Amino acid sequence: MGRTRRQFPYDRRISEALGVTAFEVYQVALPPDAETVPHDHIDDRNDDVYAITAGDGWLVVDDEAIPVGPGQFISVDMRHTRHLRAGPRGLTFVAVCAEAKH
């Protein structure tokens, strides 16, 4: 499930603007009831960390929905399929993606 810009219309890549090359950083602002595209990172070997900054919703990992809200930090291993779904107030989060060392 490769990642392309067209698949992720709500992503704003900020790592380049910060001059970061060791990992990728995205700010994602989902409008109410929107969701990201389900994906894994088996091909690029990236693990993800999500920092929820505003709104609420669910992180769906391998079809299990986990409620999320501001102040939460969640990590997802490259092998798991994941996507985030916003609740009625929308959902804003920062995603950090880096190559797994395991």
Side-chain angles (χ1 to χ4, degrees):
M1 295 185 182
R3 198 176 170 141
T4 66
R5 295 301 298 158
R6 195 176 49 129
Q7 288 179 311
F8 295 88
Y10 304 110
D11 289 13
R12 188 175 134 233
R13 186 174 181 163
I14 58 176
S15 47
E16 289 174 355
L18 296 172
V20 174
T21 60
F23 51 88
E24 297 177 21
V25 180
Y26 297 87
Q27 180 178 16
V28 183
L30 295 175
D33 304 316
E35 59 185 41
T36 63
V37 174
H39 66 287
D40 61 44
H41 284 289
I42 293 171
D43 291 341
D44 62 11
R45 300 190 38 77
N46 280 347
D47 288 342
D48 289 341
V49 171
Y50 301 108
I52 310 302
T53 58
D56 57 16
W58 298 266
L59 170 64
V60 182
V61 178
D62 296 333
D63 296 322
E64 179 183 347
I66 303 158
V68 296
Q72 284 186 282
F73 292 81
I74 306 113
S75 65
V76 182
D77 181 286
M78 69 178 162
R79 298 172 299 219
H80 298 284
T81 300
R82 82 289 311 265
H83 71 280
L84 286 107
R85 180 181 317 129
R89 298 184 307 141
L91 180 65
T92 302
F93 60 94
V94 173
V96 178
C97 312
E99 186 175 345
K101 301 297 182 193
H102 50 95

